[in-house]
Amino acid sequence: QVQLVESGGGLVQAGGSLRLSCAASGNILRTNRMGWYRQAPGKQRELVAAITSGGSTNYADSVKGRFTISRDNAKNTVYLQMNSLKPEDTAVYYCNADIIRMATVWQNTYWGQGTQVTVSS
């Protein structure tokens, strides 16, 4: 079994910062792409940022220059540093990861349970 556990969400004022963490655990052989998505009420889930195992990143235009994604491969953990937060960043944030489990050759995508980020104006 593989689990993704997120932490770091909360309530912050506009202009503030938060740091999200997501740790993958279980019988993991290799963790490839890791990413953060968000879903605001009444909206579709959207990609916020993603990072490959080699460190290549991509960001949604709405967060470029404000958010930074990083990872610690030894810990199978991905981070999202969010600065200059805006009320429109309010959403449930989900991490996901493409993982190959031990004793398999298959890659599956796993999701965390989500963490609420609320930015007040």
Side-chain angles (χ1 to χ4, degrees), residues 54-87:
S56 297
T57 59
N58 66 287
Y59 296 91
D61 288 343
S62 59
V63 306
K64 283 181 181 177
R66 300 188 297 123
F67 291 11
T68 302
I69 189 170
S70 61
R71 64 187 287 169
D72 183 332
N73 290 330
K75 296 180 179 180
N76 285 318
T77 299
V78 63
Y79 306 96
L80 186 67
Q81 178 67 43
M82 305 185 292
N83 299 328
S84 302
L85 282 160
K86 305 175 181 180

mmCIF file of all heavy atoms in Angstrom, residues 54-87:
data_model
loop_
_atom_site.group_PDB
_atom_site.id
_atom_site.type_symbol
_atom_site.label_atom_id
_atom_site.label_comp_id
_atom_site.label_asym_id
_atom_site.label_seq_id
_atom_site.Cartn_x
_atom_site.Cartn_y
_atom_site.Cartn_z
ATOM 1 N N GLY A 54 13.888 14.517 -11.476
ATOM 2 C CA GLY A 54 15.121 15.234 -11.770
ATOM 3 C C GLY A 54 15.097 16.694 -11.390
ATOM 4 O O GLY A 54 16.119 17.391 -11.508
ATOM 5 N N GLY A 55 13.935 17.174 -10.945
ATOM 6 C CA GLY A 55 13.840 18.554 -10.470
ATOM 7 C C GLY A 55 13.248 19.549 -11.450
ATOM 8 O O GLY A 55 13.155 20.741 -11.140
ATOM 9 N N SER A 56 12.834 19.111 -12.620
ATOM 10 C CA SER A 56 12.179 20.018 -13.560
ATOM 11 C C SER A 56 10.794 20.362 -13.043
ATOM 12 O O SER A 56 10.075 19.487 -12.551
ATOM 13 C CB SER A 56 12.075 19.378 -14.941
ATOM 14 O OG SER A 56 13.355 19.137 -15.469
ATOM 15 N N THR A 57 10.433 21.642 -13.173
ATOM 16 C CA THR A 57 9.172 22.108 -12.603
ATOM 17 C C THR A 57 8.307 22.790 -13.651
ATOM 18 O O THR A 57 8.804 23.276 -14.679
ATOM 19 C CB THR A 57 9.425 23.111 -11.469
ATOM 20 O OG1 THR A 57 10.159 24.230 -11.984
ATOM 21 C CG2 THR A 57 10.217 22.482 -10.331
ATOM 22 N N ASN A 58 7.012 22.815 -13.374
ATOM 23 C CA ASN A 58 6.097 23.647 -14.145
ATOM 24 C C ASN A 58 5.010 24.155 -13.210
ATOM 25 O O ASN A 58 4.681 23.502 -12.210
ATOM 26 C CB ASN A 58 5.517 22.931 -15.354
ATOM 27 C CG ASN A 58 4.609 21.786 -15.002
ATOM 28 O OD1 ASN A 58 5.065 20.748 -14.567
ATOM 29 N ND2 ASN A 58 3.308 21.976 -15.183
ATOM 30 N N TYR A 59 4.493 25.326 -13.538
ATOM 31 C CA TYR A 59 3.545 26.024 -12.669
ATOM 32 C C TYR A 59 2.354 26.532 -13.482
ATOM 33 O O TYR A 59 2.477 26.869 -14.655
ATOM 34 C CB TYR A 59 4.208 27.236 -12.014
ATOM 35 C CG TYR A 59 5.335 26.909 -11.078
ATOM 36 C CD1 TYR A 59 6.650 26.844 -11.528
ATOM 37 C CD2 TYR A 59 5.086 26.664 -9.725
ATOM 38 C CE1 TYR A 59 7.685 26.543 -10.664
ATOM 39 C CE2 TYR A 59 6.118 26.367 -8.851
ATOM 40 C CZ TYR A 59 7.410 26.306 -9.328
ATOM 41 O OH TYR A 59 8.435 26.009 -8.459
ATOM 42 N N ALA A 60 1.226 26.621 -12.804
ATOM 43 C CA ALA A 60 0.096 27.336 -13.385
ATOM 44 C C ALA A 60 0.461 28.806 -13.486
ATOM 45 O O ALA A 60 1.177 29.344 -12.628
ATOM 46 C CB ALA A 60 -1.140 27.163 -12.495
ATOM 47 N N ASP A 61 -0.029 29.461 -14.531
ATOM 48 C CA ASP A 61 0.294 30.872 -14.714
ATOM 49 C C ASP A 61 -0.114 31.717 -13.510
ATOM 50 O O ASP A 61 0.550 32.688 -13.162
ATOM 51 C CB ASP A 61 -0.402 31.408 -15.966
ATOM 52 C CG ASP A 61 0.225 30.881 -17.251
ATOM 53 O OD1 ASP A 61 1.374 30.382 -17.196
ATOM 54 O OD2 ASP A 61 -0.433 30.946 -18.301
ATOM 55 N N SER A 62 -1.197 31.327 -12.872
ATOM 56 C CA SER A 62 -1.732 32.126 -11.758
ATOM 57 C C SER A 62 -0.837 32.126 -10.525
ATOM 58 O O SER A 62 -1.006 32.974 -9.644
ATOM 59 C CB SER A 62 -3.125 31.619 -11.373
ATOM 60 O OG SER A 62 -3.059 30.257 -10.999
ATOM 61 N N VAL A 63 0.104 31.191 -10.437
ATOM 62 C CA VAL A 63 0.949 31.109 -9.239
ATOM 63 C C VAL A 63 2.425 31.357 -9.532
ATOM 64 O O VAL A 63 3.235 31.391 -8.603
ATOM 65 C CB VAL A 63 0.794 29.750 -8.528
ATOM 66 C CG1 VAL A 63 -0.674 29.465 -8.233
ATOM 67 C CG2 VAL A 63 1.420 28.621 -9.328
ATOM 68 N N LYS A 64 2.768 31.530 -10.788
ATOM 69 C CA LYS A 64 4.172 31.752 -11.144
ATOM 70 C C LYS A 64 4.718 32.983 -10.426
ATOM 71 O O LYS A 64 4.068 34.026 -10.379
ATOM 72 C CB LYS A 64 4.317 31.928 -12.655
ATOM 73 C CG LYS A 64 4.246 30.636 -13.437
ATOM 74 C CD LYS A 64 4.413 30.879 -14.932
ATOM 75 C CE LYS A 64 4.323 29.577 -15.701
ATOM 76 N NZ LYS A 64 4.405 29.800 -17.167
ATOM 77 N N GLY A 65 5.903 32.820 -9.865
ATOM 78 C CA GLY A 65 6.533 33.913 -9.139
ATOM 79 C C GLY A 65 6.109 34.018 -7.684
ATOM 80 O O GLY A 65 6.716 34.776 -6.919
ATOM 81 N N ARG A 66 5.076 33.279 -7.297
ATOM 82 C CA ARG A 66 4.601 33.325 -5.905
ATOM 83 C C ARG A 66 4.777 31.980 -5.203
ATOM 84 O O ARG A 66 5.052 31.938 -4.005
ATOM 85 C CB ARG A 66 3.122 33.717 -5.858
ATOM 86 C CG ARG A 66 2.824 35.076 -6.462
ATOM 87 C CD ARG A 66 1.368 35.480 -6.204
ATOM 88 N NE ARG A 66 0.416 34.578 -6.827
ATOM 89 C CZ ARG A 66 -0.534 33.921 -6.154
ATOM 90 N NH1 ARG A 66 -0.645 34.055 -4.850
ATOM 91 N NH2 ARG A 66 -1.381 33.146 -6.813
ATOM 92 N N PHE A 67 4.594 30.893 -5.927
ATOM 93 C CA PHE A 67 4.686 29.546 -5.357
ATOM 94 C C PHE A 67 5.952 28.870 -5.855
ATOM 95 O O PHE A 67 6.392 29.078 -6.990
ATOM 96 C CB PHE A 67 3.488 28.698 -5.783
ATOM 97 C CG PHE A 67 2.168 29.104 -5.190
ATOM 98 C CD1 PHE A 67 1.997 30.290 -4.503
ATOM 99 C CD2 PHE A 67 1.068 28.272 -5.343
ATOM 100 C CE1 PHE A 67 0.779 30.659 -3.966
ATOM 101 C CE2 PHE A 67 -0.167 28.619 -4.810
ATOM 102 C CZ PHE A 67 -0.308 29.820 -4.133
ATOM 103 N N THR A 68 6.518 28.017 -4.994
ATOM 104 C CA THR A 68 7.696 27.236 -5.361
ATOM 105 C C THR A 68 7.490 25.790 -4.931
ATOM 106 O O THR A 68 7.212 25.523 -3.754
ATOM 107 C CB THR A 68 8.965 27.781 -4.694
ATOM 108 O OG1 THR A 68 9.152 29.154 -5.062
ATOM 109 C CG2 THR A 68 10.185 26.973 -5.124
ATOM 110 N N ILE A 69 7.638 24.886 -5.885
ATOM 111 C CA ILE A 69 7.538 23.462 -5.576
ATOM 112 C C ILE A 69 8.949 22.897 -5.452
ATOM 113 O O ILE A 69 9.860 23.289 -6.203
ATOM 114 C CB ILE A 69 6.728 22.702 -6.648
ATOM 115 C CG1 ILE A 69 6.449 21.267 -6.198
ATOM 116 C CG2 ILE A 69 7.416 22.747 -8.006
ATOM 117 C CD1 ILE A 69 5.454 20.531 -7.105
ATOM 118 N N SER A 70 9.140 21.998 -4.503
ATOM 119 C CA SER A 70 10.431 21.341 -4.323
ATOM 120 C C SER A 70 10.179 19.935 -3.789
ATOM 121 O O SER A 70 9.056 19.606 -3.403
ATOM 122 C CB SER A 70 11.316 22.137 -3.362
ATOM 123 O OG SER A 70 10.718 22.239 -2.085
ATOM 124 N N ARG A 71 11.220 19.135 -3.746
ATOM 125 C CA ARG A 71 11.053 17.766 -3.256
ATOM 126 C C ARG A 71 12.339 17.278 -2.625
ATOM 127 O O ARG A 71 13.431 17.747 -2.926
ATOM 128 C CB ARG A 71 10.615 16.840 -4.391
ATOM 129 C CG ARG A 71 11.616 16.687 -5.512
ATOM 130 C CD ARG A 71 11.030 15.900 -6.676
ATOM 131 N NE ARG A 71 10.899 14.475 -6.369
ATOM 132 C CZ ARG A 71 10.233 13.603 -7.116
ATOM 133 N NH1 ARG A 71 9.612 14.025 -8.209
ATOM 134 N NH2 ARG A 71 10.189 12.327 -6.794
ATOM 135 N N ASP A 72 12.148 16.300 -1.745
ATOM 136 C CA ASP A 72 13.268 15.594 -1.123
ATOM 137 C C ASP A 72 13.103 14.135 -1.527
ATOM 138 O O ASP A 72 12.244 13.429 -0.982
ATOM 139 C CB ASP A 72 13.222 15.766 0.398
ATOM 140 C CG ASP A 72 14.406 15.124 1.104
ATOM 141 O OD1 ASP A 72 14.966 14.139 0.570
ATOM 142 O OD2 ASP A 72 14.772 15.606 2.185
ATOM 143 N N ASN A 73 13.891 13.698 -2.485
ATOM 144 C CA ASN A 73 13.722 12.343 -3.013
ATOM 145 C C ASN A 73 14.014 11.280 -1.960
ATOM 146 O O ASN A 73 13.370 10.223 -1.954
ATOM 147 C CB ASN A 73 14.623 12.134 -4.231
ATOM 148 C CG ASN A 73 14.158 12.923 -5.439
ATOM 149 O OD1 ASN A 73 12.958 13.180 -5.605
ATOM 150 N ND2 ASN A 73 15.080 13.331 -6.284
ATOM 151 N N ALA A 74 14.935 11.547 -1.077
ATOM 152 C CA ALA A 74 15.268 10.566 -0.043
ATOM 153 C C ALA A 74 14.101 10.336 0.901
ATOM 154 O O ALA A 74 13.964 9.250 1.481
ATOM 155 C CB ALA A 74 16.493 11.013 0.733
ATOM 156 N N LYS A 75 13.264 11.359 1.060
ATOM 157 C CA LYS A 75 12.127 11.269 1.982
ATOM 158 C C LYS A 75 10.807 11.060 1.240
ATOM 159 O O LYS A 75 9.747 11.016 1.874
ATOM 160 C CB LYS A 75 12.029 12.529 2.829
ATOM 161 C CG LYS A 75 13.214 12.756 3.758
ATOM 162 C CD LYS A 75 13.035 14.015 4.569
ATOM 163 C CE LYS A 75 14.201 14.231 5.524
ATOM 164 N NZ LYS A 75 14.048 15.475 6.325
ATOM 165 N N ASN A 76 10.860 10.982 -0.102
ATOM 166 C CA ASN A 76 9.620 10.854 -0.890
ATOM 167 C C ASN A 76 8.615 11.941 -0.501
ATOM 168 O O ASN A 76 7.419 11.666 -0.325
ATOM 169 C CB ASN A 76 9.001 9.472 -0.723
ATOM 170 C CG ASN A 76 9.753 8.408 -1.484
ATOM 171 O OD1 ASN A 76 10.164 8.615 -2.629
ATOM 172 N ND2 ASN A 76 9.966 7.275 -0.854
ATOM 173 N N THR A 77 9.121 13.140 -0.355
ATOM 174 C CA THR A 77 8.295 14.258 0.113
ATOM 175 C C THR A 77 8.353 15.415 -0.884
ATOM 176 O O THR A 77 9.424 15.725 -1.419
ATOM 177 C CB THR A 77 8.769 14.734 1.490
ATOM 178 O OG1 THR A 77 8.633 13.649 2.423
ATOM 179 C CG2 THR A 77 7.935 15.899 1.982
ATOM 180 N N VAL A 78 7.199 16.014 -1.111
ATOM 181 C CA VAL A 78 7.104 17.184 -1.969
ATOM 182 C C VAL A 78 6.574 18.350 -1.146
ATOM 183 O O VAL A 78 5.755 18.149 -0.234
ATOM 184 C CB VAL A 78 6.216 16.914 -3.207
ATOM 185 C CG1 VAL A 78 4.782 16.593 -2.806
ATOM 186 C CG2 VAL A 78 6.258 18.071 -4.191
ATOM 187 N N TYR A 79 7.064 19.536 -1.456
ATOM 188 C CA TYR A 79 6.693 20.742 -0.716
ATOM 189 C C TYR A 79 6.118 21.773 -1.679
ATOM 190 O O TYR A 79 6.446 21.791 -2.864
ATOM 191 C CB TYR A 79 7.918 21.346 -0.016
ATOM 192 C CG TYR A 79 8.667 20.382 0.861
ATOM 193 C CD1 TYR A 79 9.779 19.698 0.384
ATOM 194 C CD2 TYR A 79 8.260 20.147 2.179
ATOM 195 C CE1 TYR A 79 10.468 18.806 1.187
ATOM 196 C CE2 TYR A 79 8.951 19.263 2.982
ATOM 197 C CZ TYR A 79 10.044 18.592 2.482
ATOM 198 O OH TYR A 79 10.732 17.705 3.282
ATOM 199 N N LEU A 80 5.291 22.652 -1.133
ATOM 200 C CA LEU A 80 4.800 23.787 -1.902
ATOM 201 C C LEU A 80 4.895 25.014 -1.004
ATOM 202 O O LEU A 80 4.142 25.140 -0.034
ATOM 203 C CB LEU A 80 3.357 23.579 -2.370
ATOM 204 C CG LEU A 80 2.820 24.664 -3.295
ATOM 205 C CD1 LEU A 80 3.552 24.633 -4.640
ATOM 206 C CD2 LEU A 80 1.312 24.512 -3.517
ATOM 207 N N GLN A 81 5.842 25.876 -1.310
ATOM 208 C CA GLN A 81 5.975 27.135 -0.601
ATOM 209 C C GLN A 81 5.103 28.165 -1.296
ATOM 210 O O GLN A 81 5.289 28.433 -2.491
ATOM 211 C CB GLN A 81 7.437 27.605 -0.586
ATOM 212 C CG GLN A 81 7.650 28.940 0.092
ATOM 213 C CD GLN A 81 7.377 28.894 1.581
ATOM 214 O OE1 GLN A 81 7.772 27.958 2.263
ATOM 215 N NE2 GLN A 81 6.674 29.909 2.096
ATOM 216 N N MET A 82 4.153 28.712 -0.567
ATOM 217 C CA MET A 82 3.194 29.658 -1.137
ATOM 218 C C MET A 82 3.386 31.018 -0.483
ATOM 219 O O MET A 82 3.192 31.159 0.723
ATOM 220 C CB MET A 82 1.772 29.161 -0.912
ATOM 221 C CG MET A 82 1.531 27.752 -1.451
ATOM 222 S SD MET A 82 -0.197 27.229 -1.312
ATOM 223 C CE MET A 82 -0.350 27.113 0.466
ATOM 224 N N ASN A 83 3.797 31.987 -1.269
ATOM 225 C CA ASN A 83 4.004 33.351 -0.797
ATOM 226 C C ASN A 83 3.023 34.297 -1.470
ATOM 227 O O ASN A 83 2.423 33.960 -2.494
ATOM 228 C CB ASN A 83 5.440 33.795 -1.091
ATOM 229 C CG ASN A 83 6.484 32.942 -0.405
ATOM 230 O OD1 ASN A 83 6.252 32.426 0.695
ATOM 231 N ND2 ASN A 83 7.633 32.794 -1.029
ATOM 232 N N SER A 84 2.886 35.471 -0.895
ATOM 233 C CA SER A 84 1.997 36.494 -1.464
ATOM 234 C C SER A 84 0.623 35.919 -1.774
ATOM 235 O O SER A 84 0.075 36.120 -2.859
ATOM 236 C CB SER A 84 2.619 37.095 -2.726
ATOM 237 O OG SER A 84 3.890 37.654 -2.461
ATOM 238 N N LEU A 85 0.077 35.226 -0.821
ATOM 239 C CA LEU A 85 -1.198 34.544 -1.040
ATOM 240 C C LEU A 85 -2.328 35.540 -1.260
ATOM 241 O O LEU A 85 -2.347 36.642 -0.679
ATOM 242 C CB LEU A 85 -1.516 33.628 0.142
ATOM 243 C CG LEU A 85 -0.740 32.307 0.128
ATOM 244 C CD1 LEU A 85 -0.703 31.684 1.512
ATOM 245 C CD2 LEU A 85 -1.352 31.364 -0.885
ATOM 246 N N LYS A 86 -3.258 35.128 -2.102
ATOM 247 C CA LYS A 86 -4.416 35.937 -2.460
ATOM 248 C C LYS A 86 -5.693 35.195 -2.085
ATOM 249 O O LYS A 86 -5.695 33.958 -2.017
ATOM 250 C CB LYS A 86 -4.425 36.207 -3.963
ATOM 251 C CG LYS A 86 -3.157 36.850 -4.499
ATOM 252 C CD LYS A 86 -3.212 36.966 -6.015
ATOM 253 C CE LYS A 86 -1.949 37.589 -6.580
ATOM 254 N NZ LYS A 86 -1.997 37.700 -8.065
ATOM 255 N N PRO A 87 -6.784 35.907 -1.881
ATOM 256 C CA PRO A 87 -8.047 35.212 -1.568
ATOM 257 C C PRO A 87 -8.427 34.177 -2.630
ATOM 258 O O PRO A 87 -8.998 33.135 -2.292
ATOM 259 C CB PRO A 87 -9.059 36.361 -1.514
ATOM 260 C CG PRO A 87 -8.242 37.529 -1.057
ATOM 261 C CD PRO A 87 -6.913 37.356 -1.734
#
